[in-house]
PDB file of all heavy atoms in Angstrom:
ATOM      1  N   LYS A 441     -41.265  19.407 -55.246  1.00  0.00           N
ATOM      2  CA  LYS A 441     -41.174  18.889 -53.874  1.00  0.00           C
ATOM      3  C   LYS A 441     -42.281  19.372 -52.992  1.00  0.00           C
ATOM      4  O   LYS A 441     -42.801  18.643 -52.139  1.00  0.00           O
ATOM      5  CB  LYS A 441     -39.772  19.271 -53.335  1.00  0.00           C
ATOM      6  CG  LYS A 441     -38.595  18.541 -53.951  1.00  0.00           C
ATOM      7  CD  LYS A 441     -37.316  19.051 -53.350  1.00  0.00           C
ATOM      8  CE  LYS A 441     -36.086  18.406 -53.928  1.00  0.00           C
ATOM      9  NZ  LYS A 441     -34.804  18.968 -53.455  1.00  0.00           N
ATOM     10  N   ARG A 442     -42.555  20.655 -53.158  1.00  0.00           N
ATOM     11  CA  ARG A 442     -43.656  21.241 -52.288  1.00  0.00           C
ATOM     12  C   ARG A 442     -44.979  20.536 -52.646  1.00  0.00           C
ATOM     13  O   ARG A 442     -45.738  20.245 -51.774  1.00  0.00           O
ATOM     14  CB  ARG A 442     -43.700  22.724 -52.564  1.00  0.00           C
ATOM     15  CG  ARG A 442     -44.762  23.441 -51.699  1.00  0.00           C
ATOM     16  CD  ARG A 442     -44.871  24.887 -52.026  1.00  0.00           C
ATOM     17  NE  ARG A 442     -43.652  25.641 -51.713  1.00  0.00           N
ATOM     18  CZ  ARG A 442     -43.525  26.950 -51.760  1.00  0.00           C
ATOM     19  NH1 ARG A 442     -44.548  27.702 -52.211  1.00  0.00           N
ATOM     20  NH2 ARG A 442     -42.396  27.545 -51.496  1.00  0.00           N
ATOM     21  N   LEU A 443     -45.216  20.307 -53.917  1.00  0.00           N
ATOM     22  CA  LEU A 443     -46.473  19.756 -54.366  1.00  0.00           C
ATOM     23  C   LEU A 443     -46.587  18.273 -53.956  1.00  0.00           C
ATOM     24  O   LEU A 443     -47.696  17.779 -53.769  1.00  0.00           O
ATOM     25  CB  LEU A 443     -46.676  19.902 -55.856  1.00  0.00           C
ATOM     26  CG  LEU A 443     -46.803  21.351 -56.329  1.00  0.00           C
ATOM     27  CD1 LEU A 443     -46.654  21.418 -57.868  1.00  0.00           C
ATOM     28  CD2 LEU A 443     -48.203  21.895 -55.922  1.00  0.00           C
ATOM     29  N   ALA A 444     -45.454  17.525 -53.893  1.00  0.00           N
ATOM     30  CA  ALA A 444     -45.500  16.108 -53.635  1.00  0.00           C
ATOM     31  C   ALA A 444     -45.201  15.775 -52.172  1.00  0.00           C
ATOM     32  O   ALA A 444     -44.958  14.590 -51.839  1.00  0.00           O
ATOM     33  CB  ALA A 444     -44.528  15.424 -54.546  1.00  0.00           C
ATOM     34  N   ALA A 445     -45.205  16.764 -51.318  1.00  0.00           N
ATOM     35  CA  ALA A 445     -44.726  16.575 -49.931  1.00  0.00           C
ATOM     36  C   ALA A 445     -45.591  15.630 -49.141  1.00  0.00           C
ATOM     37  O   ALA A 445     -45.158  15.040 -48.162  1.00  0.00           O
ATOM     38  CB  ALA A 445     -44.625  17.888 -49.223  1.00  0.00           C
ATOM     39  N   ASP A 446     -46.841  15.394 -49.539  1.00  0.00           N
ATOM     40  CA  ASP A 446     -47.688  14.422 -48.801  1.00  0.00           C
ATOM     41  C   ASP A 446     -47.256  12.971 -49.008  1.00  0.00           C
ATOM     42  O   ASP A 446     -47.510  12.116 -48.183  1.00  0.00           O
ATOM     43  CB  ASP A 446     -49.148  14.571 -49.261  1.00  0.00           C
ATOM     44  CG  ASP A 446     -49.780  15.849 -48.690  1.00  0.00           C
ATOM     45  OD1 ASP A 446     -49.240  16.445 -47.783  1.00  0.00           O
ATOM     46  OD2 ASP A 446     -50.829  16.243 -49.249  1.00  0.00           O
ATOM     47  N   LEU A 447     -46.594  12.709 -50.145  1.00  0.00           N
ATOM     48  CA  LEU A 447     -46.150  11.325 -50.430  1.00  0.00           C
ATOM     49  C   LEU A 447     -44.632  11.137 -50.245  1.00  0.00           C
ATOM     50  O   LEU A 447     -44.219  10.019 -50.010  1.00  0.00           O
ATOM     51  CB  LEU A 447     -46.461  11.025 -51.957  1.00  0.00           C
ATOM     52  CG  LEU A 447     -47.920  10.758 -52.273  1.00  0.00           C
ATOM     53  CD1 LEU A 447     -48.030  10.529 -53.761  1.00  0.00           C
ATOM     54  CD2 LEU A 447     -48.510   9.612 -51.522  1.00  0.00           C
ATOM     55  N   LEU A 448     -43.869  12.228 -50.380  1.00  0.00           N
ATOM     56  CA  LEU A 448     -42.404  12.084 -50.351  1.00  0.00           C
ATOM     57  C   LEU A 448     -41.826  13.163 -49.481  1.00  0.00           C
ATOM     58  O   LEU A 448     -42.104  14.358 -49.586  1.00  0.00           O
ATOM     59  CB  LEU A 448     -41.961  12.362 -51.839  1.00  0.00           C
ATOM     60  CG  LEU A 448     -40.487  12.357 -52.129  1.00  0.00           C
ATOM     61  CD1 LEU A 448     -39.926  10.942 -52.058  1.00  0.00           C
ATOM     62  CD2 LEU A 448     -40.155  12.954 -53.508  1.00  0.00           C
ATOM     63  N   ASP A 449     -41.012  12.675 -48.494  1.00  0.00           N
ATOM     64  CA  ASP A 449     -40.337  13.651 -47.662  1.00  0.00           C
ATOM     65  C   ASP A 449     -39.329  14.416 -48.521  1.00  0.00           C
ATOM     66  O   ASP A 449     -38.453  13.827 -49.096  1.00  0.00           O
ATOM     67  CB  ASP A 449     -39.587  12.943 -46.586  1.00  0.00           C
ATOM     68  CG  ASP A 449     -38.884  13.818 -45.600  1.00  0.00           C
ATOM     69  OD1 ASP A 449     -38.571  14.969 -45.928  1.00  0.00           O
ATOM     70  OD2 ASP A 449     -38.576  13.387 -44.482  1.00  0.00           O
ATOM     71  N   PRO A 450     -39.519  15.772 -48.683  1.00  0.00           N
ATOM     72  CA  PRO A 450     -38.697  16.507 -49.624  1.00  0.00           C
ATOM     73  C   PRO A 450     -37.258  16.773 -49.101  1.00  0.00           C
ATOM     74  O   PRO A 450     -36.491  17.385 -49.813  1.00  0.00           O
ATOM     75  CB  PRO A 450     -39.432  17.763 -49.831  1.00  0.00           C
ATOM     76  CG  PRO A 450     -40.242  17.951 -48.559  1.00  0.00           C
ATOM     77  CD  PRO A 450     -40.566  16.572 -48.085  1.00  0.00           C
ATOM     78  N   GLY A 451     -37.000  16.302 -47.911  1.00  0.00           N
ATOM     79  CA  GLY A 451     -35.677  16.561 -47.319  1.00  0.00           C
ATOM     80  C   GLY A 451     -35.443  18.007 -46.950  1.00  0.00           C
ATOM     81  O   GLY A 451     -36.343  18.862 -47.043  1.00  0.00           O
ATOM     82  N   PRO A 452     -34.250  18.290 -46.554  1.00  0.00           N
ATOM     83  CA  PRO A 452     -33.899  19.687 -46.189  1.00  0.00           C
ATOM     84  C   PRO A 452     -34.111  20.658 -47.312  1.00  0.00           C
ATOM     85  O   PRO A 452     -33.903  20.243 -48.503  1.00  0.00           O
ATOM     86  CB  PRO A 452     -32.400  19.623 -45.775  1.00  0.00           C
ATOM     87  CG  PRO A 452     -32.134  18.174 -45.559  1.00  0.00           C
ATOM     88  CD  PRO A 452     -33.048  17.426 -46.397  1.00  0.00           C
ATOM     89  N   PRO A 453     -34.526  21.860 -47.020  1.00  0.00           N
ATOM     90  CA  PRO A 453     -34.785  22.831 -48.133  1.00  0.00           C
ATOM     91  C   PRO A 453     -33.485  23.237 -48.731  1.00  0.00           C
ATOM     92  O   PRO A 453     -32.685  24.020 -48.155  1.00  0.00           O
ATOM     93  CB  PRO A 453     -35.467  24.012 -47.350  1.00  0.00           C
ATOM     94  CG  PRO A 453     -34.993  23.909 -45.958  1.00  0.00           C
ATOM     95  CD  PRO A 453     -34.771  22.464 -45.694  1.00  0.00           C
ATOM     96  N   ALA A 454     -33.237  22.809 -49.928  1.00  0.00           N
ATOM     97  CA  ALA A 454     -31.954  23.131 -50.661  1.00  0.00           C
ATOM     98  C   ALA A 454     -32.327  23.603 -52.055  1.00  0.00           C
ATOM     99  O   ALA A 454     -32.448  22.876 -52.960  1.00  0.00           O
ATOM    100  CB  ALA A 454     -31.066  21.895 -50.705  1.00  0.00           C
ATOM    101  N   GLY A 455     -32.511  24.938 -52.106  1.00  0.00           N
ATOM    102  CA  GLY A 455     -32.839  25.527 -53.428  1.00  0.00           C
ATOM    103  C   GLY A 455     -31.674  26.238 -54.011  1.00  0.00           C
ATOM    104  O   GLY A 455     -30.548  25.744 -53.826  1.00  0.00           O
TER     105      GLY A 455
END
Side-chain angles (χ1 to χ4, degrees):
K441 288 177 184 178
R442 183 182 298 185
L443 293 168
D446 287 344
L447 288 177
L448 178 73
D449 183 337

